[in-house]
Amino acid sequence: MFPELSLCGYPPEDLLLRSSMHARISRALDSLCEEVSGIYMVVGYPWQEGDACYNKAAVIADGRLLASYAKQQLPNYRVFDEKRYFTEGNECCLLEIDGLPVAVTVCEDIWHPQPMAQARGRRCPVDAQPQCLALPYGQTARARGHAGRSRR
């Protein structure tokens, strides 16, 4: 498990406006897919799709990208300015890893009910309730005071 936006560093800010950054991210993901074998890796990265840029988490194993998730809840307070750079995702990510249904979310999503409600619903490819949560978050989550405590 690697942190949110670990392929570029958090926060990437205006680097996201450079096309060369997205080309490097694409090459880095391809390289990880080639190198990762025998384990499951969750890694955070920015991803450009047309005019939209998403804060994503990828699940990689045995030479391929198995799944990806676009962060749904973009913080825009204090030091966070994610709505300036990213588009909100709108779909959950639920996959089976060695028989265990795993939901993937990113950082701020854990503090809001919608992303996990989607994963608990039947709107995902795996027809099972998640039993585990993969949650990459940036180091700034500690500064916010959320790391290690629950609001629910």
Side-chain angles (χ1 to χ4, degrees):
M1 174 82 66
F2 290 90
E4 175 180 19
L5 296 170
S6 56
L7 287 187
C8 62
Y10 187 94
E13 297 180 334
D14 285 355
L15 288 175
L16 294 169
L17 304 176
R18 301 177 130 206
S19 60
S20 62
M21 169 70 132
H22 296 288
R24 288 179 178 181
I25 295 298
S26 182
R27 287 193 305 271
L29 280 172
D30 289 344
S31 179
L32 286 174
C33 286
E34 291 173 16
E35 298 292 326
V36 173
S37 177
I39 64 168
Y40 290 87
M41 172 189 278
V42 178
V43 62
Y45 64 103
W47 191 251
Q48 188 77 36
E49 293 179 19
D51 291 337
C53 186
Y54 297 93
N55 181 343
K56 287 194 161 193
V59 180
I60 298 171
D62 296 326
R64 61 192 184 109
L65 193 145
L66 299 178
S68 67
Y69 171 80
K71 185 175 183 179
Q72 294 184 30
Q73 302 295 323
L74 303 175
N76 224 49
Y77 51 86
R78 295 189 203 153
V79 299
F80 304 100
D81 197 15
E82 289 192 24
K83 288 184 180 184
R84 176 178 180 203
Y85 299 101
F86 296 111
T87 299
E88 293 176 342
N90 59 14
E91 295 184 19
C92 68
C93 179
L94 182 61
L95 70 154
E96 198 168 292
I97 297 177
D98 293 336
L100 182 68
V102 177
V104 179
T105 64
V106 176
C107 197
E108 185 79 12
D109 289 344
I110 195 67
W111 306 110
H112 301 270
Q114 182 182 350
M116 282 309 296
Q118 285 178 327
R120 284 190 298 267
R122 298 291 183 213
R123 291 182 272 176
C124 295
V126 175
D127 190 25
Q129 294 289 310
Q131 300 298 311
C132 184
L133 174 66
L135 177 72
Y137 66 89
Q139 286 298 329
T140 52
R142 286 192 184 278
R144 183 176 165 196
H146 289 323
R149 68 182 171 109
S150 174
R151 286 176 39 182
R152 290 186 192 88

